[in-house]
Amino acid sequence: RTVVGLMSGADLTHTIEGLTTLMEEFEFHLKHFDDIIGENITKLNTISERMENVEWRLEDMDRITRTLGGLGLNIRVQNAILKRPVEGIRALGEDIKKLSEDITEKSGYITRDTKNLTGIVHGSRLRISELSAVQKNEAAKIIKSTASNIGSLEDKYSRTTKSAQEISSHSREISQSIQEIVVVIQFHDIIRQQYENSRNAFIRMAGILEGAPGSDGLSQTAGDLARFCVHEGAPLCRTRENFVTTVLSVIENLKVLSGSVNKLLDEVKLLLSVGSSTEGSFLETIDVSLASVHSSVTAFSASGMVQGELSGATTMVVDTLAEISGFIRAIEYIGDEIELIAFNAAVQADQIGEEGRALGVVADQIQRLSSATQINTTSITGILKDIGSYAEELSSDVGTGERDYTLKIRETSEKLSGFTSLLTDLNKELISAIRSIDETGNGLVNEIDMIIGSISIHEDVALVSDAVISNLREVFSEVTRQFPFAPGINEFNITQSYDQMLEVEVKRLQSEGKTGAVRNSSEEFGANVELFS
C-alpha cells in the first residue's frame, strides 16, 4: 500500500504536471528572449547604417579641410604679393592652415572610431547569431531531456494502476492462504480432541479388561472387546486420514503463501523496473537526470552568452559615441575660430583696398567652407544623437532583458531543483518501503520454507495410528477366533477380514456425516460436540 500510494500519489502527479508546465514556460520565455534579441539586432543594424552616414559626412569634411588648407596657403601667397605685406594676414593664413590640420586630425579620429564601431557592431551581430544558435541548441537539449523524464514518469504512473491491482491480488492470495491455514489449524484442534477421545476409550476398555470376571463372564467381555476393536478402529482410521490430510493441507497452503509472497516481491520489483528492490527505483534515474538538467539550466543561466555579447556591444557603442561627440565639439569650436579668422581676413582686405581684393575673395571662400563645416558637424551631431537614442534604447532593452532573462531562468532552475528534491525524498521513501518489503518478504519466505521442510508430524502420527489399528486387527482376529459365539460377535461377518469391516464402518460413519457416531458407548465430546457436525 505504501509503495502503490507513493507511485500514484499527489507528489508524483504534481511533479508530472509541474515539469510539463515548467517546460512550457521555459519555451515561452526563450521565444520571448529570442524576439528581444531580434529587435536588438535590428537596432544594431540601424546603428551600423547610421554610422555609414557619418562616414559619408566625414569624407565631405576631409574634402573641406583640404580646401581650407589650400586657402590658408593662398592667403599667405596673396599677402606676399602685396606691395606692403601685412604681418597679421600672414598669421591668419598660418592659423587657417593649422586649424584645418586640427580638423583633419579630429576627423581622422572620428573616422577611426566610426570604422571601429562599425566593425564592433558587425562582429557582434555575427557573434550574437552564433551564440543564439548555441543557446537554442542547449535549450533544446534541456527541453528534450526533461520531456524524456516526464514521459518516463507518465509511463510509470499509467502502469501503476495495473501493478497495484496485481499487488492487491497477491495480497488477497496471501490473506486467503493465511485464513485457510488458520481454519485448518482450528480443525487440527478438533482432530486432537478426537484422538483424546479415542485414547479415553482405550483407557476405559483397559479398565474393563482389568476388571473382567472369571471364565463365566469372558464370553461377554470378548464380545465387548470385538465390538470395541471395530467401533474404535473406524474413527481412529478416519481421524488418522483427517490428520494427515489436514497437515498436508497446511503444508500446501504454506507453499501457496510462500509463492504468493514471492509473486508480491517480484511485482514490486517490476513496478519499480529494477533488478533488485534493494538497489533503487526508476525514480533514482529520473532524480539524477533532472539534477543534470538543473545543472544545465544553471549553466545556461550563468553563461548569459547572448545577453553578455549584447551588453558588451552596447557599452562599446555608448563609449565610442561619447568619444566621437568630444571630437565633434572640438571641430565645432575650430569651425567657430575659422569663421572668426575669415571675418578678420575680410576686414584686413577692406583696409588694404583695391590691392586686397583677391584676399577678400579668399576670405569669402573660407567663410563658405566654414559654414559647410558647421553644416557637416551639425549633421554628424544629429546622426550621433539618433545613434545615441538607439544606443540608449538598446542599453535599456538589454539591461531589462538581461534582468528578466536571468530572473526567469533562475526561477526555472529553482523550480527544477524543487522537483528534483521532491523526487529525491519520494525515492528515499520508496527505497525504504521496498527494503522493508524485500527484507520482511524474503524473511517470511525463508521461514515458511524452513517450516515446510521441518513438518513431519503427520508421518509420525500416521505411523503410530497404523500400529494401533494393526494391533486392533490382531486383537479382533484373536478374539473372534477364540470366542466365535461370544455375544455381539455374530453382528460381524466373520468371513470378512477386519480391514473390510473397518472400511464398511468408516463408510457408514461418513455417510452419517457425524463424527459423533464414532463414539464408544455413550461417551460425549463435551463442549465441542458442535464442532464435529
Side-chain angles (χ1 to χ4, degrees):
R1 285 199 299 270
T2 300
V3 171
V4 173
L6 289 171
M7 293 298 296
S8 59
D11 286 345
L12 201 55
T13 306
H14 172 67
T15 301
I16 293 172
E17 294 174 351
L19 284 173
T20 302
T21 302
L22 185 63
M23 285 302 103
E24 290 174 353
E25 292 175 353
F26 185 64
E27 288 186 88
F28 174 80
H29 295 319
L30 288 177
K31 186 178 182 305
H32 174 66
F33 295 136
D34 282 343
D35 292 341
I36 292 176
I37 290 169
E39 293 172 3
N40 290 335
I41 289 177
T42 300
K43 289 174 182 176
L44 283 174
N45 289 335
T46 302
I47 290 174
S48 181
E49 292 170 0
R50 301 296 286 171
M51 293 305 296
E52 290 177 1
N53 292 335
V54 172
E55 290 181 9
W56 179 79
R57 290 290 179 181
L58 288 172
E59 289 176 1
D60 196 35
M61 287 280 289
D62 183 60
R63 180 182 59 79
I64 292 172
T65 52
R66 286 199 303 272
T67 303
L68 279 172
L71 290 175
L73 177 62
N74 198 353
I75 288 176
R76 294 199 304 273
V77 170
Q78 291 296 330
N79 185 56
I81 294 173
L82 295 175
K83 294 178 180 179
R84 288 179 297 170
V86 180
E87 182 64 25
I89 291 177
R90 188 184 65 78
L92 287 175
E94 291 178 354
D95 288 343
I96 289 291
K97 182 176 180 298
K98 175 66 172 60
L99 290 174
S100 67
E101 290 174 351
D102 288 345
I103 291 176
T104 300
E105 181 184 11
K106 299 296 187 294
S107 296
Y109 292 148
I110 295 173
T111 301
R112 178 202 64 192
D113 289 347
T114 301
K115 290 184 180 299
N116 288 342
L117 187 56
T118 301
I120 290 170
V121 171
H122 180 70
S124 294
R125 287 204 312 266
L126 293 177
R127 181 66 177 155
I128 287 169
S129 297
E130 294 173 356
L131 293 177
S132 181
V134 171
Q135 286 198 334
K136 284 182 180 179
N137 185 47
E138 291 299 318
K141 288 180 181 178
I142 291 171
I143 293 170
K144 182 179 179 180
S145 178
T146 307
S148 174
N149 289 326
I150 293 172
S152 296
L153 284 170
E154 288 178 335
D155 176 64
K156 189 57 63 175
Y157 184 75
S158 64
R159 289 169 54 191
T160 299
T161 302
K162 181 180 178 181
S163 295
Q165 292 173 349
E166 293 292 332
I167 291 174
S168 178
S169 174
H170 296 318
S171 297
R172 285 195 297 272
E173 289 178 6
I174 291 172
S175 297
Q176 183 63 30
S177 296
I178 292 173
Q179 289 175 2
E180 291 180 6
I181 290 171
V182 171
V183 170
V184 169
I185 290 175
Q186 289 174 343
F187 186 61
H188 169 268
D189 189 58
I190 296 172
I191 295 173
R192 180 186 57 78
Q193 293 182 44
Q194 290 175 342
Y195 271 120
E196 288 179 354
N197 278 282
S198 293
R199 178 174 174 274
N200 292 334
F202 273 87
I203 291 173
R204 285 194 300 275
M205 192 65 223
I208 292 172
L209 292 176
E210 288 176 358
S215 57
D216 294 337
L218 280 180
S219 180
Q220 181 62 43
T221 303
D224 292 341
L225 183 57
R227 286 194 299 276
F228 172 84
C229 288
V230 175
H231 292 163
E232 290 301 326
L236 183 61
C237 182
R238 184 180 176 191
T239 302
R240 171 203 180 280
E241 294 303 319
N242 286 341
F243 182 80
V244 172
T245 301
T246 298
V247 175
L248 290 177
S249 178
V250 170
I251 292 174
E252 186 60 31
N253 278 284
L254 285 173
K255 289 180 179 178
V256 172
L257 177 59
S258 177
S260 297
V261 174
N262 271 321
K263 289 178 182 177
L264 180 64
L265 295 177
D266 291 339
E267 190 62 37
V268 171
K269 294 173 186 177
L270 180 62
L271 174 64
L272 299 172
S273 299
V274 291
S276 169
S277 59
T278 57
E279 292 176 2
S281 76
F282 87 103
L283 292 179
E284 191 169 26
T285 304
I286 294 180
D287 175 9
V288 174
S289 181
L290 277 182
S292 175
V293 173
H294 173 250
S295 298
S296 298
V297 172
T298 302
F300 186 80
S301 173
S303 66
M305 294 183 291
V306 173
Q307 281 67 29
E309 186 68 26
L310 272 171
S311 180
T314 303
T315 300
M316 290 295 295
V317 169
V318 172
D319 292 346
T320 304
L321 285 177
E323 188 171 287
I324 291 175
S325 296
F327 294 139
I328 291 295
R329 284 193 296 272
I331 291 175
E332 289 175 342
Y333 176 75
I334 293 171
D336 292 339
E337 287 194 10
I338 290 175
E339 190 171 6
L340 181 60
I341 290 172
F343 177 75
N344 289 334
V347 171
Q348 292 285 345
D350 288 341
Q351 289 177 352
I352 294 172
E354 186 65 24
E355 190 179 1
R357 182 179 297 175
L359 185 61
V361 173
V362 175
D364 288 341
Q365 289 180 342
I366 291 173
Q367 283 183 325
R368 285 197 298 274
L369 290 175
S370 175
S371 297
T373 301
Q374 296 288 9
I375 290 171
N376 275 317
T377 54
T378 301
S379 178
I380 292 174
T381 300
I383 294 172
L384 292 179
K385 285 182 179 179
D386 289 342
I387 294 174
S389 178
Y390 285 121
E392 287 178 2
E393 290 181 13
L394 184 61
S395 179
S396 176
D397 290 346
V398 169
T400 303
E402 189 168 2
R403 286 191 297 272
D404 289 346
Y405 178 85
T406 303
L407 178 62
K408 297 300 183 184
I409 300 301
R410 184 182 296 120
E411 288 177 356
T412 300
S413 179
E414 290 173 353
K415 288 179 180 178
L416 263 176
S417 179
F419 288 127
T420 303
S421 297
L422 188 148
L423 285 177
T424 299
D425 294 339
L426 185 61
N427 191 58
K428 287 179 181 177
E429 292 184 58
L430 270 174
I431 298 305
S432 176
I434 296 163
R435 285 177 177 168
S436 178
I437 291 173
D438 197 64
E439 292 172 4
T440 306
N442 284 317
L444 179 59
V445 168
N446 291 335
E447 189 169 351
I448 291 173
D449 292 344
M450 183 180 66
I451 289 173
I452 291 173
S454 66
I455 295 177
S456 61
I457 187 171
H458 58 300
E459 298 172 353
D460 297 337
V461 169
L463 186 64
V464 172
S465 297
D466 288 344
V468 172
I469 293 170
S470 177
N471 288 336
L472 289 175
R473 181 189 299 112
E474 293 177 2
V475 170
F476 178 83
S477 298
E478 184 65 22
V479 168
T480 54
R481 186 182 64 80
Q482 293 188 21
F483 300 92
F485 304 107
I489 289 182
N490 56 0
E491 68 182 84
F492 303 109
N493 185 352
I494 303 303
T495 60
Q496 289 180 322
S497 69
Y498 177 79
D499 291 339
Q500 289 175 322
M501 286 186 289
L502 201 59
E503 183 178 353
V504 171
E505 183 68 8
V506 170
K507 288 182 178 179
R508 182 183 68 78
L509 293 175
Q510 288 176 340
S511 65
E512 291 180 359
K514 292 185 179 180
T515 309
V518 189
R519 295 172 297 173
N520 180 48
S521 185
S522 60
E523 181 65 20
E524 298 291 339
F525 285 128
N528 291 319
V529 66
E530 72 278 358
L531 297 177
F532 293 85
S533 299

